[in-house]
Amino acid sequence: MNPLLTINSLKKQYDEETVALNGVSFSVHEGEFVSIIGPSGAGKSTLLRCINRIIDATEGEILFDGLNVGNQNKGQLRKLRTKIGMIFQHYNLVNRLSVIENVLHGRLGYKNTFNGSLGLFTAQEKKQAFQIIEILGLEKQAYKRCDQLSGGQKQRVGIARALIQEPRMMLCDEPIASLDPNASKIIMDHLKNITTQMGITCLVNLHQVNVALKYSDRIIGIKHGLKVYDGPPKSITKNQIYDIYESEAGELILELKDQNEA
Amino acid sequence: MQIQESIYHLWINSTKDKSVDLLAKYNERKPFNKTSFAIKITLIALLILTIYSFYTFDYKNLIIIDAVKDTLINMRTMFFGASLRNFTILEGIRQVSFTLGIAFLATLTGGISAFFLGLLAAQNLSTKLVSNVVKGFVSFVRAVPTVLWVLIFAVSIGLGSTAAVVGLTFHSFGYLLKAFSESFEELDHGVIEALTACGANWWQIVFQAVVPSSLSYLLAWTFIRFEINFVEAVAVGAAAGAGGIGFELFMASARYFNIREVGAITFLILAVAIILELTSSRIKTKFIK
Ligand SMILES: Nc1ncnc2c1ncn2[C@@H]1O[C@H](COP(=O)(O)OP(=O)(O)OP(=O)(O)O)[C@@H](O)[C@H]1O
Ligand SMILES: [Mg+2]
């Protein structure tokens, strides 16, 4: 089976001094749950943003579902982006709008400028939005303004907005970094369900190594813009985690890992 | 207590070297400060000019006490004996509505154009180059006072209400564009990123994220500008013969020398201005910061 996503020697240079990615290659198969770990500034966010071309890569090739992401024109890129959902650490919702309005934003990629701008969604789309809201347990909040929600609820709105795109893959940039352990678990469980039940591939940037080990099928370690680990969570060793995070932080994380295994 | 104090001193002393350095740096900066020097020079120059001009005024045979007394008497007639002669109160209200109409039209056209160009001026929605070009152009528009804009258009269109509307529009446009684009820039970059990731295009992002997030600011600023435009329209009505209550005021004072009517018209304008001011300050406290 062809991989859903293939990345070939991806490079991203912001300015003379900052090389965020320095030749990263890997591929992801349909239905995989992949976590990307690595220290702050390693280039994880840059990597995710290159995949749906929110930022343009400097060099390298990205193939998504057989399409070369770099070669798409404006219209093709919009269409391609509908197939890739994205959620963020800070949720990035329009706070003054209601939950349902934010969820429907996920359909904008399918609409023409006029209907999209005026928010003219079809009955079918609205029905689908409410179904997704219900799946994520937000039915009581559907008409609330987003600035009245808790962090965990906001993230679920973010997931709903991505799901209504009917994506084949989800890019998640530190989805639980601003959440308490309880809300984090809810969000991670939802993401895992999305992969196992809906078959949507997940690519998740995580700072919590123990969470990454617990939920993922595969771990990719990134350091200084390079891939330094790629393999199943079971076979990653303490030394490799040390290596990814550099000693002091490594100690802290290894303790967590021991607890996890105990 | 003593132990604490000695620890405190120990700690302070340990930072001493650094703080001495910082202090030296601070003192180095102090002696010559360009801005405060410029301010001082300006103030001294103004003081000298003021004294000089009072000294060299041509006072003719003016007796200060009498002059002040006469002015006060005139003021009293104007404001306590206010009455209308050349037209009725209904006509006055009609003229006020005319002035409000000029202000409204100018606010509307200025506001709509400011909205669209404001999108291009907002850094998060535009490119750096376009944003800077638009902002530069608009700061020029804003630097020219309203009355001057009206006079510029009075030359090409002819004196009258059209020139007034167009002139007021220009300045409103400059004023509102700055306010609008700054409100647009308040929108978190992440939201734009998120909608882009959904496949939304630029117009969809504008109307689905930017406008809902900044709508209350836009309305508040527009109303504040409407209030300013009313006052400007009064002045312009007189200066450019644009009609309305400002023109009546001009006629009453400069043509008929009817100070009682001037008083009445002033009260009328004041009443409208106060209503607008109250409304706009309520809107301001509600929506802006
Ligand atoms: N817009 C930008 N302009 C210039 N440099 C940037 C930009 N965005 C990121 N960088 C730089 O690129 C490098 C990688 O940043 P990136 O955000 O991808 O790291 P990250 O792994 O996501 O870090 P974190 O875990 O803290 O989110 C950093 O050195 C950062 O300073
Ligand atoms: Mg990041």
Side-chain angles (χ1 to χ4, degrees), chain B residues 205-261:
Chain B
I205 292 175
V206 166
F207 286 108
Q208 286 296 312
V210 180
V211 171
S213 303
S214 52
L215 191 61
S216 51
Y217 288 99
L218 303 192
L219 292 178
W221 282 116
T222 308
F223 195 85
I224 291 165
R225 184 65 214 190
F226 176 61
E227 183 205 338
I228 297 172
N229 275 352
F230 174 71
V231 179
E232 300 265 24
V234 171
V236 157
I245 197 71
F247 186 67
E248 298 300 334
L249 183 63
F250 170 73
M251 291 300 272
S253 66
R255 216 29 80 73
Y256 305 131
F257 299 112
N258 185 342
I259 54 174
R260 288 173 191 274
E261 199 160 84

Side-chain angles (χ1 to χ4, degrees), chain A:
Chain A
M1 197 174 76
N2 281 332
L4 178 66
L5 174 75
T6 309
I7 293 175
N8 285 327
S9 41
L10 188 69
K11 279 192 186 161
K12 174 67 193 179
Q13 184 162 10
Y14 283 107
D15 46 57
E16 274 106 74
E17 303 108 74
T18 354
V19 179
L21 294 173
N22 201 359
V24 174
S25 307
F26 62 89
S27 50
V28 180
H29 282 92
E30 186 118 47
E32 261 190 308
F33 192 106
V34 182
S35 291
I36 301 173
I37 60 171
S40 212
K44 305 181 298 295
S45 301
T46 305
L47 174 60
L48 287 199
R49 281 165 176 72
C50 284
I51 293 174
N52 59 0
R53 253 182 75 189
I54 285 186
I55 51 184
D56 281 309
T58 317
E59 257 175 64
E61 185 186 49
I62 300 168
L63 297 171
F64 178 78
D65 196 21
L67 295 171
N68 187 332
V69 175
N71 290 347
Q72 308 292 302
N73 68 26
K74 242 183 179 175
Q76 291 168 327
L77 186 61
R78 276 187 74 195
K79 206 168 143 211
L80 186 138
R81 280 176 177 152
T82 61
K83 292 296 159 202
I84 304 176
M86 191 161 189
I87 65 173
F88 306 83
Q89 176 183 352
H90 299 294
Y91 328 118
N92 296 354
L93 308 170
V94 181
N95 280 324
R96 285 174 180 256
L97 294 181
S98 64
V99 167
I100 178 71
E101 286 169 310
N102 268 287
V103 173
L104 283 167
H105 281 168
R107 296 301 297 178
L108 287 175
Y110 292 96
K111 314 224 68 121
N112 64 32
T113 301
F114 182 81
N115 285 340
S117 297
L118 295 185
L120 302 173
F121 296 99
T122 64
Q124 169 62 28
E125 285 170 324
K126 288 175 198 160
K127 193 176 145 209
Q128 197 184 356
F130 280 110
Q131 281 169 344
I132 291 172
I133 283 176
E134 215 175 308
I135 291 173
L136 293 169
L138 288 165
E139 59 276 6
K140 285 209 188 77
Q141 281 79 31
Y143 292 104
K144 264 196 189 169
R145 263 172 59 151
C146 281
D147 47 14
Q148 297 167 357
L149 301 181
S150 72
Q153 290 168 335
K154 282 184 189 172
Q155 195 57 289
R156 276 183 276 159
V157 177
I159 295 176
R161 179 174 65 185
L163 280 184
I164 203 171
Q165 291 176 230
E166 301 176 20
R168 304 214 21 215
M169 183 168 77
M170 292 272 265
L171 306 174
C172 314
D173 194 9
E174 289 171 33
I176 56 170
S178 313
L179 299 177
D180 70 26
N182 235 332
S184 296
K185 185 173 181 325
I186 293 171
I187 295 299
M188 288 310 294
D189 287 343
H190 276 304
L191 291 178
K192 189 75 187 171
N193 280 341
I194 285 166
T195 305
T196 52
Q197 289 173 16
M198 307 183 194
I200 297 171
T201 312
C202 272
L203 197 54
V204 190
N205 280 352
L206 278 175
H207 267 310
Q208 296 84 344
V209 176
N210 54 334
V211 176
L213 295 174
K214 187 174 162 201
Y215 283 90
S216 336
D217 302 322
R218 199 172 128 204
I219 305 270
I220 292 176
I222 302 262
K223 187 171 107 178
H224 300 319
L226 291 167
K227 187 175 87 174
V228 292
Y229 179 84
D230 188 348
K234 267 182 234 140
S235 58
I236 192 166
T237 65
K238 289 185 181 189
N239 274 341
Q240 280 166 322
I241 296 181
Y242 260 102
D243 184 45
I244 295 172
Y245 282 95
E246 279 146 16
S247 66
E248 278 172 67
E251 270 167 61
L252 187 77
I253 290 153
L254 288 182
E255 275 171 29
L256 284 168
K257 194 196 167 199
D258 291 339
Q259 275 174 15
N260 203 31
E261 282 167 347

